Amino acid sequence: MRAGAAKTAGAAVSALGLLSLLPDPVWAHAVVQRYELPVPLWYYLTGAGLVVALTFVVLMAFRREAAPAPP
């Protein structure tokens, strides 16, 4: 890299680093009002548990045994 290009790249990286230190409000998880699930909580938790259990069943069904090591 040329000296001028390296200096410019270094300045750009430094500027981006300094910008990342500035505080910025985070609104991604802001909740304005209370949200109610459209189903009872136990439906939701039972469904989530069944999905996790079914995932393990499917993974075990397609699991391959490791090949034995050659002598």
Side-chain angles (χ1 to χ4, degrees):
M1 226 194 283
R2 294 185 332 216
K7 199 180 257 190
T8 304
V13 169
S14 297
L16 287 174
L18 288 174
L19 282 175
S20 70
L21 295 175
L22 295 174
D24 191 30
V26 179
W27 298 103
H29 298 285
V31 177
V32 178
Q33 62 189 20
R34 183 181 168 128
Y35 178 75
E36 294 289 332
L37 290 172
V39 296
L41 180 62
W42 70 272
Y43 277 3
Y44 179 78
L45 295 177
T46 303
L50 288 173
V51 166
V52 170
L54 182 64
T55 301
F56 281 104
V57 168
V58 169
L59 287 175
M60 290 303 293
F62 291 105
R63 183 175 158 237
R64 296 183 184 162
E65 294 296 323

